[in-house]
């Protein structure tokens, strides 16, 4: 099969698209002519609708999908709905995630399991149903997950989050091996300190309070002067990875962190 001829990024599904990195990815892919299925949880239904409206005004076909990525039936239905409404699925961005901040000795099983349910099971389900659809279509594809600098090195106070982001790398590498024969690449981005609600104040995501990025920097043992960036830097690597010319890049967790992992 000739990878450059068989694959084209026409339709993408982005999870956790209502805010932060997911929203930046959706805006960027739409600006490149890709039609979109946009997912988030009920809390973000309104912002998701507004984003969908904005992108439709720019000429894109957009389907908002309220669903919980940790629920298998939800993910299955999301992929089905995407194909029903937009005709196919070429790009899956498994971006949705949550954090939990506590020392290990205070981490409850419930908190641990919720982080793993969303970040690991959710990513696995998105990979699973996207892969099945892409294999069925037979034109290759792109699957991209969300790891983290905390998925590459240990970090105090975020053992569940950190471990879940290591797991995303394991999943990404494993699926990359399985899907190479189908011209489907599987990669992840590994952000450093990106200025979103999550890094604003991971202690209280709902409130999104705190000084931009500072709490994440202190968790990573970095000074306030350490590099940080807007979510568009992640959108930019995603934009590259979905291009047909990147068919030979797979199984990678690409650090986009201003050198934080290296330092
Ligand atoms: P960041 O953009 O830094 O990764 P955010 O917390 O700003 O972090 O964004 C994560 C997104 O994932 C949010 O839009 C959030 O609502 C979404 N999300 C969280 N849990 C789920 C879930 N179970 N299913 C779908 N989306 C989710």
């Amino acid at each position: 099969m000739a990878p450059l001829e068989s694959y084209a990024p026409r339709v993408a599904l982005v999870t956790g698209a209502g805010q932060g990195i997911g929203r930046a990815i959706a805006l960027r892919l739409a600006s490149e002519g890709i039609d979109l299925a946009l997912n988030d949880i009920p809390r973000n239904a309104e912002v998701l609708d507004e984003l969908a409206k904005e992108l439709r005004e720019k000429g894109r076909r957009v389907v908002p999908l309220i669903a919980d990525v940790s629920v298998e039936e939800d993910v299955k239905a999301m992929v089905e709905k995407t194909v029903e409404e937009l005709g196919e699925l070429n790009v899956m961005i498994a971006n949705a995630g949550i954090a939990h901040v506590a020392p290990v000795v205070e981490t409850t099983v419930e908190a641990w399991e919720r982080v793993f349910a969303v970040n690991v099971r959710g990513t696995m389900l998105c990979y699973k149903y996207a892969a099945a659809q892409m294999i069925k279509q037979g034109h290759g594809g792109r699957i991209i997950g969300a790891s983290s600098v905390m998925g590459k090195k240990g970090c105090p106070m975020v053992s569940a989050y950190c471990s879940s982001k290591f797991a995303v790398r394991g999943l990404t590498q494993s699926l990359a091996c399985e899907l190479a024969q189908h011209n489907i690449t599987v990669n992840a981005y590994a952000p450093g300190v990106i200025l979103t609600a999550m890094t604003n104040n991971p202690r209280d995501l709902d409130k999104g309070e705190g000084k931009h990025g500072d709490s994440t920097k202190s968790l990573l043992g970095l000074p306030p002067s350490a590099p940080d960036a807007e979510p568009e830097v992640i959108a930019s690597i995603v934009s590259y990875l979905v291009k047909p010319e990147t068919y030979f890049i797979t199984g990678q967790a690409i650090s986009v962190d201003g050198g934080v992992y290296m330092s």
Side-chain angles (χ1 to χ4, degrees):
M1 202 187 304
L4 287 171
E5 286 165 22
S6 63
Y7 161 79
R10 286 181 290 264
V11 175
L13 168 51
V14 183
T15 69
Q19 66 189 54
I21 292 171
R23 181 184 160 84
I25 291 171
L27 284 162
R28 176 68 180 255
L29 296 183
S31 78
E32 291 171 357
I34 299 174
D35 289 330
L36 288 161
L38 301 177
N39 153 263
D40 216 299
I41 47 180
R43 184 184 70 186
N44 271 347
E46 212 170 302
V47 286
L48 204 66
D49 277 342
E50 279 161 24
L51 178 60
K53 189 165 167 255
E54 184 185 330
L55 299 181
R56 283 193 199 107
E57 280 164 9
K58 290 180 180 158
R60 298 271 54 84
R61 292 185 301 156
V62 185
V63 185
L65 300 167
I66 297 301
D68 181 343
V69 296
S70 70
V71 177
E72 179 153 25
E73 302 79 63
D74 278 24
V75 178
K76 184 169 183 280
M78 272 202 305
V79 170
E80 283 170 2
K81 188 84 178 154
T82 303
V83 175
E84 204 180 296
E85 299 275 329
L86 301 173
E88 58 190 325
L89 178 66
N90 321 109
V91 174
M92 164 60 87
I93 313 291
N95 166 76
I98 57 170
H100 178 74
V101 182
V104 175
V105 293
E106 287 171 23
T107 298
T108 61
V109 168
E110 289 73 23
W112 177 274
E113 294 201 331
R114 189 60 200 150
V115 170
F116 266 68
V118 177
N119 297 3
V120 186
R121 190 204 303 158
T123 301
M124 184 279 284
L125 291 170
C126 289
Y127 281 14
K128 172 180 169 176
Y129 285 98
Q133 177 60 29
M134 289 171 189
I135 291 169
K136 193 162 93 183
Q137 290 169 186
H139 298 294
R142 296 286 184 271
I143 295 177
I144 299 175
S147 186
S148 168
V149 62
M150 294 180 187
K152 294 193 171 190
K153 63 176 180 182
C155 185
M157 300 291 287
V158 282
S159 58
Y161 182 79
C162 219
S163 308
S164 75
K165 295 300 179 179
F166 269 76
V168 167
R169 287 205 294 130
L171 265 170
T172 300
Q173 289 186 15
S174 302
L175 195 63
C177 300
E178 288 184 23
L179 298 185
Q181 61 181 314
H182 298 287
N183 287 327
I184 301 167
T185 68
V186 191
N187 292 290
Y189 43 84
V193 182
I194 305 297
L195 302 173
T196 66
M198 190 178 283
T199 62
N200 242 0
N201 187 357
R203 280 160 215 275
D204 193 338
L205 292 179
D206 286 335
K207 289 191 190 146
E209 288 171 349
K211 207 162 161 232
H212 269 312
D214 279 2
S215 49
T216 305
K217 286 181 191 173
S218 82
L219 287 174
L220 286 162
L222 299 167
S225 59
D228 53 40
E230 299 293 335
E232 286 70 27
V233 296
I234 307 299
S236 154
I237 191 72
V238 169
S239 152
Y240 177 61
L241 288 173
V242 305
K243 288 189 181 3
E245 71 204 51
T246 62
Y247 69 94
F248 222 51
I249 302 173
T250 194
Q252 303 304 305
I254 299 174
S255 290
V256 186
D257 67 3
V260 160
Y261 174 57
M262 298 299 166
S263 64

